[in-house]
Amino acid sequence: MKAHPTAYAAMAQKVTVVCVAAAMTFGISGTAWAVGPIEVGYDLIEFTNPETDLSTDDTDDIGLDAALGDVVEYENVFPGVDAKVTVLDITNLQDEVDKIDEGQDSAAVNFDDTPMWVEIDPPGTNGEPAIGGPGSATLRVDFFVSGGTFTAPVTLNEIGITLKDVDSDQYVTFYDASSYALSSEPETVLTATVEAGDVTIADISGETASALDEENWATVTYAAAESITVTVGTLQADDAEFGLLFTVPDWSADPTEILLGGAEEDNLADTGAKGVTILGAFGLALAVAGTALARTSARRR
């Protein structure tokens, strides 16, 4: 499934970056340049945390106790690209968003690269349903021309995002995505509920998974985007962590890619168990309703 930019696209990206660098060198505002789309080709967009202990690879947490409207900024997430992450919505969490990006040892969590690691905690006792229903947080990632000013938005082509740790009673909604894919071999334990270009991925298996369990993996793609909005949520009172890895994985067997939106929408079928019908017993219907309410604010710029 993993694609690579053509030689022409790669050259176009380099030209764009050179032009931006030249603009900064000569003191010209990035907004004065008509920067074209940057070709990612599903390669890694890296949300790096500053290291605090090189001997253990422990890293700083970013966005601790983030409240509604809080913003964190990253420089150089991809050649020529900076990124800004904004908290758009908080629903039924114990406090704020525990961490927008928890520092993790990538080897310890079986990731080859650096994901954006979001942590939330709904109220209640661990191991029991969250008091007051599902808890969730909605974040928007905006992309900008590099330079540290975060003033010149830029469109990225061919973005991939992978989740390798969708555990029991957790769900993630991606808005306005182009496609999604779940494991076919081994058979996925996840469900996908689709509404137009929005897809909610959930786990109702009742078992905790590790990042090595491909049956718990999910991938979404964006053909082109200058911002991406995602809701992470859980039905349980436990701390819930979500590793958003901005690339596509090496699957053991190629999964079936399902296109979203437009004429393809009529051909979509839920993958795995029947999503809302079965998940309703766990309250996911309420969770999906919550993400629908969040969509209004998620799409406001």
Side-chain angles (χ1 to χ4, degrees):
M1 178 179 173
K2 190 164 185 176
H4 298 281
T6 64
Y8 173 82
M11 181 175 66
Q13 176 186 317
K14 291 178 182 177
V15 170
T16 299
V17 175
V18 168
C19 289
V20 173
M24 291 186 291
T25 299
F26 290 100
I28 302 173
S29 169
T31 56
W33 288 77
V35 177
I38 291 179
E39 302 294 332
V40 176
Y42 306 113
D43 284 338
L44 178 65
I45 302 173
E46 190 165 8
F47 291 83
T48 304
N49 303 58
E51 290 187 343
T52 56
D53 187 340
L54 296 176
S55 65
T56 62
D57 195 31
D58 287 340
T59 55
D60 287 342
D61 296 326
I62 294 176
L64 285 170
D65 299 326
L68 186 65
D70 280 2
V71 175
V72 296
E73 298 173 342
Y74 295 82
E75 295 187 26
N76 303 314
V77 296
F78 192 79
V81 181
D82 293 341
K84 179 187 294 185
V85 181
T86 304
V87 180
L88 291 184
D89 183 78
I90 295 175
T91 299
N92 195 39
L93 297 184
Q94 186 132 310
D95 293 299
E96 292 89 2
V97 179
D98 285 3
K99 299 158 189 172
I100 289 177
D101 191 355
E102 181 180 5
Q104 296 255 356
D105 179 345
S106 59
V109 294
N110 301 307
F111 275 104
D112 295 329
D113 305 302
T114 304
M116 180 192 302
W117 205 282
V118 185
E119 181 179 318
I120 61 174
D121 184 12
T125 302
N126 284 357
E128 297 181 4
I131 295 175
S136 66
T138 300
L139 308 176
R140 188 183 68 225
V141 182
D142 296 297
F143 300 107
F144 298 88
V145 175
S146 281
T149 61
F150 302 92
T151 56
V154 64
T155 296
L156 307 187
N157 289 343
E158 296 186 333
I159 302 168
I161 305 176
T162 300
L163 282 156
K164 291 185 178 180
D165 62 330
V166 185
D167 289 331
S168 178
D169 293 328
Q170 294 179 357
Y171 66 94
V172 183
T173 300
F174 294 93
Y175 300 95
D176 299 320
S178 300
S179 73
Y180 76 89
L182 303 178
S183 176
S184 55
E185 187 180 331
E187 184 178 359
T188 185
V189 298
L190 305 179
T191 65
T193 304
V194 176
E195 181 182 347
D198 305 336
V199 56
T200 298
I201 308 293
D203 180 3
I204 61 168
S205 68
E207 297 181 6
T208 300
S210 80
L212 294 177
D213 299 324
E214 290 190 33
E215 60 268 32
N216 286 77
W217 289 10
T219 298
V220 297
T221 69
Y222 290 79
E226 70 176 40
S227 71
I228 290 174
T229 299
V230 56
T231 294
V232 297
T234 178
L235 313 184
Q236 297 293 319
D238 311 56
D239 291 347
E241 299 179 345
F242 304 84
L244 301 172
L245 182 65
F246 277 67
T247 187
V248 295
D250 293 323
W251 298 88
S252 296
D254 288 340
T256 301
E257 183 177 26
I258 306 297
L259 301 179
L260 298 173
E264 304 293 339
E265 183 180 330
D266 294 337
N267 298 324
L268 291 176
D270 283 350
T271 304
K274 291 298 180 183
V276 173
T277 301
I278 294 177
L279 292 169
F282 296 88
L284 187 67
L286 178 58
V288 173
T291 61
L293 292 174
R295 183 179 299 111
T296 301
S297 60
R299 286 177 174 162
R300 290 174 182 166
R301 296 296 310 279

